Amino acid sequence: MVDPSLNPLTDADPAEAESTRRPRRRLARADLLALGAYVLLGVFVCLNYWGDVTGRVSSHLPTDHSWFEWLFAHGAYSVRHLENPLFTAQQNAPDGVNMMANTSLLGVTLPLAPLTMLLGPQVMYALYLGAALAATAGTGYWMLSRHLVRSRTAAFVGGAFLGFAPGIIHHANGQPNFVSNFLLPLIVVRVLRLGEPGRWRRNGLVLGALVTYQIFINEEMLLLTALACLVVVLAYAVQRPAATRAAAGTFLAGLGVAGGLALVLAAYPIWFQFNGPQSYRGLQGGVFHNWGEDLVAFATFARDTWAGDPAVEKTIGLTEQNTWFGWPLVLLSVVALVLLVRRSLPARIAAVLIVVFTVASIGPRVRFNGVETGVRGPWSYVPDDLPLVEMMMPTRLTLVVAAAVGVLLALTWDAAHRQGRPVADQPRVPAQRVGEAAPATSDEPSLPAPVAAGRRWLRPVGYAAVALAVLPLFPRPLPAQQIDPPPHFISAGGWRPYVPEGRTLVPVPIPSNVHGLPTLRWSALTGQEFPVPGGYFIGPNELGEGVFGAPNRPTSTLIYSTMDADAVPVLTDENRRQAVEDLRFWRASVVVLGAHPREAVLRELVTGLIGPPQRVDDVWVWDVRALVS
């Protein structure tokens, strides 16, 4: 359902087309400058990593950072060994991990596997993170400049917000899957073009291919985009019923082609996700449903922006920072909507998106300034086990709000750009399409031409308003912290004689969602050449519900409690028997303890369980092959 107001130049007459062709070289140069600026900003955001790319991880989400390094190594391992990338046995041995049922980023890690083999997962992580931010801004810029606004500067501002909004930068702290949104603007454009006469097959095939690829990047963001597109189409249909009826058949035909292609291409991976080994049904207790957005968060400056204050997190930082627009942007958005909705169809649709997804993001209880009020939110009426949404966090619905605000910023700048132009330079009236209820110029986000020509002062005022709203949100470099490198015994391959085919290396502490961050990196930084028990993932419990990490064995529980207490408990024969049984379950051939803040008590604990170790290189080694045979 394509409307000329969504692509203002579509139906211009030859004279106007020539006027748009005139500065083509200049526009191409503007495109390159915009993309270059996005790349530089992506490098700037990751600056702290590049200071020591092999020795730093995110200060905010260090375990997530390590998990995604592990994912890049998984992609390279799958390609190198020609193994099924939908499953891995190199973590959570011997049960393995269903990669389709986890955030696996296969659409990125597999194509980039050669670079990962060449550069290593640490460098690849930092390189990709900045590139994903820039690429998302770039495709957002393309969507806006080709289909929504005439001003390249307006498209640049909107694209920058789509790629570097406070919520996106928040997720860049260890969750690159939520900054990998470069396909989403392309998907939205293709959905809006499904109604083009005579092109439903091509548009449907392209949309189906894009949707399939997005499944292997981030299914949650694809679901949010699908919901947003549904709201856009419904809002358009209400406002343009005649055009909707005229394009409905073509639109539905194209949608059917897209859905059919996506179903064919993604049928097996989706089946594997929900029915393959180590799959699960929902998360235990629906833990994500309580993560609603605090109302005060909308007007608060995010932590990782120039105007942000980390101390605010202690008050309202219970959940993710997916909005945190700051009060100037909230104020500008309200004023812009008041001024634009009367004349701009895209602005009206943006307003609908903002309202619908803001309300939906509140969660089961309304939160205000860190306090959970007694007012029920919309998610209090949503069952915890509802398919598709059972793992969604209400607060993440505001990522759609952020995208709508990015579009609104572009529309606002573009409207300001039109003010004060001579009447002769104002856009001509495009030809009306069949089924259109009104000429497209009734939806141009600007004042009527004679009025606009007499109000030149509106242009600098509009520019200044947008600049003052977005400049405080300029991102800071992501905070990073040092992390110890893996022991030389691990990195130099000293472990190889101890780990025959089909056996595992048991690091101490055993990797988990809470403990064992450095030992999980041992696997990633050695190319996953040895399997490890435990890990950082979501897998099934005994009831088939999703839980974080592997179910604790008695020995892993004993290791974690010893670390927490910094003291070795009194050990019994039952503890020793259970340790041997757990090592057999893990198919262990060697237990390895490297440098660790709790190294002394951990060495004493493991010695008490399975006997004295050997000092090999820079680690303590317990060769347990004879013990577990």
Side-chain angles (χ1 to χ4, degrees):
M1 297 182 182
V2 179
D3 175 50
S5 66
L6 297 181
N7 190 355
L9 301 181
T10 297
D11 294 317
D13 64 18
E16 184 175 356
E18 179 62 31
S19 71
T20 62
R21 215 177 285 123
R22 169 173 36 86
R24 179 175 295 175
R25 183 176 300 175
R26 185 175 61 200
L27 294 179
R29 187 163 57 246
D31 293 343
L32 291 176
L33 287 174
L35 294 177
Y38 294 150
V39 170
L40 289 176
L41 188 53
V43 172
F44 175 78
V45 168
C46 300
L47 197 60
N48 287 332
Y49 295 146
W50 289 112
D52 182 7
V53 71
T54 61
R56 293 182 183 175
V57 295
S58 168
S59 298
H60 294 315
L61 296 171
T63 309
D64 281 7
H65 185 132
S66 296
W67 162 252
F68 280 95
E69 287 181 342
W70 193 91
L71 288 179
F72 277 104
H74 165 71
Y77 182 90
S78 298
V79 171
R80 186 168 58 248
H81 294 273
L82 299 179
E83 289 195 354
N84 178 10
L86 306 183
F87 184 83
T88 180
Q90 301 308 105
Q91 191 176 161
N92 190 35
D95 295 328
V97 177
N98 187 320
M99 300 303 290
M100 278 302 297
N102 281 267
T103 302
S104 55
L105 211 63
L106 291 172
V108 172
T109 62
L110 294 176
L112 294 179
L115 278 178
T116 303
M117 297 177 202
L118 178 65
L119 302 175
Q122 300 147 299
V123 175
M124 199 63 246
Y125 175 93
L127 190 65
Y128 173 75
L129 183 62
L133 291 165
T136 300
T139 55
Y141 169 86
W142 175 86
M143 173 188 72
L144 294 169
S145 64
R146 270 57 174 181
H147 297 277
L148 203 59
V149 298
R150 287 184 173 87
S151 167
R152 287 296 199 263
T153 306
F156 174 79
V157 171
F161 194 83
L162 291 175
F164 297 90
I168 302 300
I169 296 299
H170 169 78
H171 284 288
N173 288 285
Q175 296 177 331
N177 57 317
F178 281 103
V179 311
S180 303
N181 301 323
F182 41 84
L183 293 183
L184 302 184
L186 308 181
I187 290 173
V188 171
V189 167
R190 198 53 59 173
V191 168
L192 296 178
R193 297 185 65 179
L194 283 178
E196 288 181 331
R199 298 183 178 181
W200 59 274
R201 290 186 185 88
R202 186 187 69 176
N203 288 332
L205 290 173
V206 173
L207 177 60
L210 290 171
V211 167
T212 302
Y213 194 17
Q214 180 63 33
I215 288 173
F216 296 98
I217 295 177
N218 190 331
E219 291 178 77
E220 187 172 353
M221 290 302 295
L222 177 61
L223 176 59
L224 293 180
T225 303
L227 293 174
C229 287
L230 175 62
V231 172
V232 168
V233 170
L234 292 177
Y236 178 90
V238 169
Q239 298 176 78
R240 296 289 178 84
T244 300
R245 287 193 295 271
T250 305
F251 182 91
L252 293 174
L255 189 63
V257 170
L261 179 61
L263 181 63
V264 169
L265 296 178
Y268 177 72
I270 295 300
W271 175 89
F272 195 93
Q273 175 178 346
F274 293 102
N275 298 282
Q278 292 298 104
S279 59
Y280 51 87
R281 291 289 187 275
L283 284 180
Q284 187 179 39
V287 295
F288 288 160
H289 277 219
N290 292 324
W291 286 40
E293 189 75 329
D294 193 306
L295 295 182
V296 176
F298 287 87
T300 304
F301 291 112
R303 173 194 61 207
D304 295 322
T305 61
W306 277 7
D309 181 3
V312 179
E313 289 184 304
K314 298 177 181 178
T315 304
I316 62 174
L318 177 67
T319 62
E320 299 172 343
Q321 297 177 20
N322 291 311
T323 54
W324 295 63
F325 299 137
W327 64 265
L329 181 55
V330 172
L331 179 61
L332 173 69
S333 299
V334 173
V335 173
L337 287 174
V338 169
L339 295 177
L340 296 180
V341 292
R342 185 176 65 88
R343 297 187 54 79
S344 171
L345 174 62
R348 291 196 292 274
I349 292 177
V352 173
L353 285 173
I354 290 171
V355 171
V356 169
F357 284 89
T358 294
V359 173
S361 72
I362 292 174
R365 296 288 174 182
V366 175
R367 294 183 59 83
F368 188 86
N369 201 28
V371 177
E372 187 176 278
T373 69
V375 180
R376 296 182 68 178
W379 281 73
S380 63
Y381 303 99
V382 178
D384 288 347
D385 57 352
L386 189 67
L388 293 181
V389 299
E390 59 189 354
M391 293 183 62
M392 288 181 63
M393 296 183 187
T395 177
R396 289 182 181 169
L397 293 171
T398 56
L399 293 174
V400 176
V401 179
V405 169
V407 171
L408 182 61
L409 283 171
L411 293 172
T412 304
W413 189 285
D414 198 51
H417 175 72
R418 296 164 189 259
Q419 306 311 310
R421 294 170 60 185
V423 175
D425 290 342
Q426 291 294 323
R428 300 191 181 201
V429 178
Q432 185 175 347
R433 291 193 176 192
V434 177
E436 278 293 288
T441 49
S442 67
D443 284 310
E444 291 288 353
S446 62
L447 297 174
V451 177
R455 296 188 177 180
R456 297 178 183 272
W457 58 271
L458 288 174
R459 180 184 290 187
V461 169
Y463 291 167
V466 174
L468 291 174
V470 299
L471 284 178
L473 303 179
F474 194 88
R476 298 175 179 176
L478 298 173
Q481 68 183 34
Q482 290 294 135
I483 189 169
D484 292 333
H488 185 262
F489 174 83
I490 296 295
S491 59
W495 55 271
R496 292 185 183 279
Y498 296 90
V499 187
E501 185 72 23
R503 309 295 285 189
T504 66
L505 183 150
V506 178
V508 179
I510 296 164
S512 74
N513 286 45
V514 179
H515 301 90
L517 164 62
T519 53
L520 178 62
R521 297 183 86 234
W522 293 3
S523 172
L525 303 186
T526 54
Q528 300 183 2
E529 289 300 327
F530 54 82
V532 295
Y536 185 66
F537 62 96
I538 301 177
N541 62 11
E542 62 278 2
L543 300 176
E545 301 170 314
V547 293
F548 292 95
N552 283 336
R553 306 283 299 181
T555 303
S556 56
T557 300
L558 186 59
I559 290 173
Y560 301 147
S561 62
T562 299
M563 291 172 59
D564 294 338
D566 197 17
V568 179
V570 176
L571 299 177
T572 66
D573 290 340
E574 177 61 20
N575 295 138
R576 298 181 182 91
R577 185 199 65 78
Q578 189 63 64
V580 173
E581 183 176 328
D582 290 340
L583 290 171
R584 287 189 180 128
F585 174 80
W586 291 324
R587 300 176 185 170
S589 62
V590 65
V591 178
V592 180
L593 170 64
H596 191 279
R598 298 286 190 267
E599 179 180 346
V601 294
L602 288 173
R603 178 162 60 93
E604 182 181 349
L605 172 67
V606 180
T607 299
L609 291 173
I610 58 176
Q614 293 179 300
R615 185 68 178 178
V616 180
D617 201 344
D618 55 347
V619 299
W620 297 102
V621 171
W622 288 264
D623 187 337
V624 297
R625 284 174 287 186
L627 185 64
V628 300
S629 59

